[in-house]
Amino acid sequence: MSVKPTVLKLGGSVVTDKEKTLTPNLQAIERLANEISRANVSHLVLVHGGGSFGHPVAEQYGLAEGYKDSSQIIGFSKTRQAMTKLNKLIVDFLISHNIPAVEVQPSSCVVTKAGRIQTMEDRPLRKMLEMGFVPVLYGDVVLDSEAGFAILSGDQLVSSLAINLDARRIVVGVDVNGLYTGDPKTDSSARLIQHITLEELKNLEPLIEGSKVTDVTGGMLGKMFELKPAVEHGIQTIIVNATELNRVYKALKGEKVVGTIIER
Amino acid sequence: MSVKPTVLKLGGSVVTDKEKTLTPNLQAIERLANEISRANVSHLVLVHGGGSFGHPVAEQYGLAEGYKDSSQIIGFSKTRQAMTKLNKLIVDFLISHNIPAVEVQPSSCVVTKAGRIQTMEDRPLRKMLEMGFVPVLYGDVVLDSEAGFAILSGDQLVSSLAINLDARRIVVGVDVNGLYTGDPKTDSSARLIQHITLEELKNLEPLIEGSKVTDVTGGMLGKMFELKPAVEHGIQTIIVNATELNRVYKALKGEKVVGTIIER
């Protein structure tokens, strides 16, 4: 690909109201569609999370544990439909801002093995980028060659896509300002890490792990785990607060912005 | 695959009101979901047409002719969304009848070359069948390695899937009783062909072609053209009127039913 693509992730906590089942955050989606449109990045891939669409049904049927019994089968179908509903809404907003967005359904082109991407057909997606489309993927339930089915997170998709497409930049939009040394909501000494290398991140891990960081930093360590391979690949990665105006816009444009830059 | 799958096509004129843009035929969809549920076929693949969802937008932007200029790009996005809308509705009805239906989005896994399927990733779909899901595909706009993009008809998909999955039977649900010797609406001497071989079909062609058969038999000759390779492969194919109660049900069960059987 002549132009290296940018991969933008919009977290489920940004595009949905995580507290209310099947409730999109329409105001955020509309604003972000506007920011993406204004940024006008060539070769953009968008990945969004499931938030209150994917998780409640998946949990009800225990899909995260893989296939156990036939009662889960209809739950897989229902979870898939919930993700289509959310994605359709987001793509509709993007199109209304004149962004040529095209859904790429992960469950139609990915098979995982024990929850990790085993094969992903990306010919349609590559052709879309070449033609000027904006492919839109999402965390999805997918078929798994060992477990029957699995939940494929948007973060795993982002990292895998960025590496395979040799992306120039990953922008991760979440509902906090970036990676903190502690929980800014409860710890007044917690400070935003503006720049971190993989080496520094490694040194930080025991520290933040000791303080149960998964909750403390709002699940940011799991995100880090997924993003690491892309950063190791040499792809600059920036985490920004997508609930704040113009953070995603600035990150897409490569402008200076509040957030955490992770580099090799 | 141990059990040979059945491929069911539901025409766009069955699941939508072809005269009214973006109008589903909810009554037909509900009845057919019920028939499919009662037939309880193991290893079923469903393919539906676009009807008044896909065609109007695709036509507005001249998508059938492939990529000509950048103004079509947003039209491709809009057509895709229209197909997702129709498919979501149909899959929702199937799920409400306890059928574990799962959308398989053709544009995510197929690339065509000059309008013909060049590559199709079918690993997710095969795994779905193995697990007991009912994959639901549809006529879609897809990326094309020569023309930029193309319209992939449900009929081309049906034939290709049936051959690749070594299907035991194809059931094609349309809005007429089957293949006629003429137009039953205007020609009182027209009679329904209950059984036809490929050899007989070939003999019939000049006759019906001479009378502009594409319109006369409601586009049945184009369907025949697409289905031929599957019939040549040895797959029994039956055309039935899906607007009539229980025709699809009986065809799925392999029971005697009004329609046209095509065999090698």
Side-chain angles (χ1 to χ4, degrees):
Chain A
M1 217 161 286
S2 48
V3 181
K4 288 187 166 196
T6 298
V7 179
L8 169 62
K9 165 82 196 290
L10 294 176
S13 56
V14 175
V15 292
T16 76
D17 181 340
K18 274 206 150 178
E19 306 304 316
K20 292 181 197 152
T21 302
L22 293 173
T23 308
N25 187 335
L26 297 179
Q27 213 176 346
I29 296 169
E30 163 69 19
R31 176 181 51 76
L32 287 162
N34 180 272
E35 292 187 30
I36 294 165
S37 169
R38 281 190 294 117
N40 195 24
V41 177
S42 74
H43 295 73
L44 178 68
V45 179
L46 181 58
V47 179
H48 64 79
S52 62
F53 281 76
H55 296 295
V57 195
E59 217 162 273
Q60 187 191 334
Y61 288 89
L63 300 188
E65 291 86 53
Y67 179 80
K68 302 279 178 241
D69 64 76
S70 59
S71 69
Q72 294 171 297
I73 293 289
I74 200 79
F76 181 99
S77 291
K78 287 179 183 173
T79 307
R80 263 249 72 266
Q81 285 300 90
M83 286 312 303
T84 291
K85 191 173 180 181
L86 175 59
N87 177 263
K88 184 176 180 304
L89 198 145
I90 291 174
V91 172
D92 280 343
F93 268 93
L94 293 169
I95 291 174
S96 77
H97 283 267
N98 222 28
I99 298 163
V102 178
E103 174 190 3
V104 173
Q105 187 192 5
S107 45
S108 292
C109 54
V110 174
V111 171
T112 56
K113 184 178 177 181
R116 310 301 302 173
I117 296 172
Q118 185 177 27
T119 57
M120 174 164 188
E121 164 65 316
D122 63 4
R123 272 172 284 203
L125 187 149
R126 283 176 189 270
K127 184 74 185 169
M128 284 175 202
L129 285 173
E130 194 187 309
M131 300 277 298
F133 291 108
V134 175
V136 185
L137 301 91
Y138 44 93
D140 199 4
V141 282
V142 297
L143 281 297
D144 188 284
S145 60
E146 273 183 8
F149 45 67
I151 293 174
L152 172 63
S153 75
D155 290 322
Q156 190 187 154
L157 261 178
V158 163
S159 191
S160 170
L161 281 169
I163 292 169
N164 290 333
L165 300 171
D166 195 23
R168 65 191 289 242
R169 185 183 289 131
I170 295 173
V171 176
V172 181
V174 291
D175 63 349
V176 290
N177 286 342
L179 184 65
Y180 278 84
T181 54
D183 185 353
K185 287 163 195 157
T186 57
D187 179 0
S188 64
S189 73
R191 58 176 186 83
L192 179 68
I193 302 166
Q194 291 181 290
H195 188 282
I196 193 164
T197 63
L198 282 183
E199 180 91 18
E200 289 167 344
L201 186 66
K202 209 175 170 188
N203 293 335
L204 204 65
E205 270 169 20
L207 186 83
I208 39 183
E209 264 167 15
S211 61
K212 286 179 189 150
V213 76
T214 316
D215 295 324
V216 171
T217 64
M220 206 56 83
L221 205 70
K223 241 173 238 307
M224 290 299 158
F225 170 77
E226 288 295 1
L227 294 172
K228 259 186 193 173
V231 179
E232 270 162 13
H233 190 81
I235 302 163
Q236 201 200 64
T237 301
I238 180 162
I239 300 174
V240 294
N241 193 335
T243 69
E244 297 282 348
L245 182 66
N246 281 335
R247 300 270 174 96
V248 165
Y249 168 79
K250 284 179 180 172
L252 287 175
K253 295 289 274 185
E255 293 176 9
K256 200 172 153 51
V257 60
V258 176
T260 301
I261 292 173
I262 311 147
E263 272 172 318
R264 189 162 52 180
Chain B
M1 216 160 287
S2 48
V3 181
K4 287 187 166 197
T6 298
V7 180
L8 169 64
K9 165 82 195 293
L10 295 176
S13 57
V14 174
V15 292
T16 76
D17 181 339
K18 274 207 151 179
E19 307 303 317
K20 292 181 197 154
T21 302
L22 293 173
T23 308
N25 187 335
L26 297 179
Q27 213 177 347
I29 296 169
E30 163 70 19
R31 176 180 51 76
L32 288 162
N34 179 271
E35 292 186 30
I36 294 164
S37 170
R38 282 190 291 117
N40 195 23
V41 177
S42 73
H43 295 73
L44 178 68
V45 179
L46 180 58
V47 178
H48 64 78
S52 62
F53 280 76
H55 296 294
V57 195
E59 216 161 273
Q60 188 190 334
Y61 288 89
L63 300 188
E65 291 87 52
Y67 179 79
K68 301 282 178 238
D69 65 75
S70 59
S71 69
Q72 294 171 297
I73 293 289
I74 201 78
F76 181 99
S77 290
K78 287 179 183 172
T79 307
R80 264 249 71 265
Q81 285 301 90
M83 285 312 301
T84 292
K85 191 173 180 180
L86 175 60
N87 176 264
K88 183 177 181 303
L89 198 146
I90 291 173
V91 172
D92 280 343
F93 269 93
L94 293 169
I95 290 174
S96 77
H97 283 267
N98 222 29
I99 299 164
V102 178
E103 173 192 2
V104 173
Q105 187 192 6
S107 45
S108 292
C109 55
V110 174
V111 172
T112 55
K113 185 179 178 180
R116 308 302 302 173
I117 295 172
Q118 185 177 27
T119 57
M120 174 164 189
E121 165 65 316
D122 63 5
R123 272 172 285 203
L125 187 149
R126 283 175 189 271
K127 184 74 186 170
M128 284 175 203
L129 284 173
E130 194 188 309
M131 300 277 299
F133 292 107
V134 175
V136 185
L137 300 91
Y138 43 92
D140 199 2
V141 281
V142 297
L143 281 297
D144 188 285
S145 59
E146 274 183 8
F149 46 67
I151 294 174
L152 172 63
S153 75
D155 290 323
Q156 190 186 153
L157 262 178
V158 163
S159 191
S160 170
L161 281 169
I163 292 170
N164 290 332
L165 299 171
D166 194 24
R168 65 192 289 242
R169 186 183 288 132
I170 295 173
V171 176
V172 181
V174 292
D175 64 349
V176 290
N177 286 343
L179 183 66
Y180 278 84
T181 55
D183 183 354
K185 287 163 195 157
T186 57
D187 179 0
S188 64
S189 73
R191 58 178 187 81
L192 179 68
I193 302 166
Q194 293 182 289
H195 188 281
I196 193 165
T197 63
L198 283 183
E199 179 92 17
E200 289 167 344
L201 185 67
K202 208 175 170 189
N203 294 337
L204 204 64
E205 271 168 19
L207 185 83
I208 40 185
E209 263 165 15
S211 61
K212 286 180 189 149
V213 76
T214 315
D215 296 324
V216 172
T217 65
M220 206 55 85
L221 205 70
K223 243 175 236 306
M224 290 299 159
F225 170 78
E226 288 295 0
L227 293 172
K228 259 186 192 173
V231 178
E232 269 162 14
H233 190 81
I235 302 164
Q236 200 200 64
T237 300
I238 180 160
I239 300 173
V240 294
N241 193 335
T243 69
E244 297 282 347
L245 182 66
N246 281 335
R247 299 270 174 97
V248 164
Y249 169 80
K250 284 180 181 171
L252 287 175
K253 297 289 274 184
E255 292 176 9
K256 200 172 152 53
V257 59
V258 176
T260 301
I261 291 173
I262 311 148
E263 272 172 318
R264 189 161 52 180

